[in-house]
Amino acid sequence: PRLRMPGGARLEFNLTTTADIALVGISLESPLGVDCERVRPRREMMAVARRMFAPPTVAELTRLPELRRLAAFYRAWTALESDAKADGRGLFRARPPGARPPEILHAVPAAGHIAAVARERLPPVKAWLALDLVWPPSADQTMAGQRPPRVSAN
């Protein structure tokens, strides 16, 4: 999705949720895709991999010891989803001929989770801005007269 800004600039954004985490990616001008997953055992994980991933990725997963395979599966899955969301084609359509794949970087937003961001060019993960927003506000915040965080557009 995108919003037109004054002067014609585009504000691109993408959203994903899992468990109690919401991840929003925001970019000026360049489309992006984000995905976040809670790393947990999956039934039929390798059947999903064979159906959804390229043969080299499946071969790599097959070679890994079982303890490392789960994390590698979720890295591949979040990369696939964020890539498909970045250009809007969805999971089951091939990339158009001649289209370049985006750069994909991973981050760990919380213990037991993995996230991927896909965009034509990405800054290093260390340069990303992460905000921990708690909603609804706790009773302590409300009693202290604190207001929940607000976002405004100027």
Side-chain angles (χ1 to χ4, degrees):
R2 67 185 52 92
L3 298 171
R4 283 272 178 220
M5 305 291 286
R10 290 187 336 253
L11 181 68
E12 303 274 347
F13 64 96
N14 199 249
L15 168 72
T16 184
T17 62
T18 185
D20 60 349
I21 293 176
L23 178 65
V24 179
I26 302 171
S27 170
L28 281 176
E29 300 297 327
S30 296
L32 76 161
V34 298
D35 188 48
C36 183
E37 298 288 337
R38 184 168 55 103
V39 177
R40 63 191 185 284
R42 277 186 81 120
R43 289 174 14 135
E44 307 295 330
M45 180 177 71
M46 289 308 295
V48 171
R50 283 187 290 277
R51 181 170 182 230
M52 301 301 294
F53 300 154
T57 304
V58 175
E60 181 184 332
L61 289 172
T62 303
R63 284 192 298 270
L64 288 173
E66 194 169 335
L67 288 175
R68 291 183 48 214
R69 188 178 301 150
L70 185 64
F73 172 86
Y74 279 102
R75 284 180 65 83
W77 182 262
T78 56
L80 175 71
E81 284 233 8
S82 64
D83 180 7
K85 291 170 75 175
D87 64 15
R89 74 180 186 282
L91 289 175
F92 296 102
R93 278 192 244 140
R95 187 181 320 284
R100 290 180 12 153
E103 183 177 352
I104 299 172
L105 292 177
H106 285 89
V108 177
H113 292 76
I114 186 75
V117 178
R119 183 173 170 242
E120 182 179 19
R121 284 187 312 268
L122 285 166
V125 173
K126 290 179 183 178
W128 296 1
L129 173 64
L131 303 173
D132 190 9
L133 303 176
V134 178
W135 189 259
S138 69
D140 292 340
Q141 288 174 313
T142 305
M143 291 177 75
Q146 295 177 349
R147 295 181 163 243
R150 300 255 188 244
V151 175
S152 62
N154 294 338

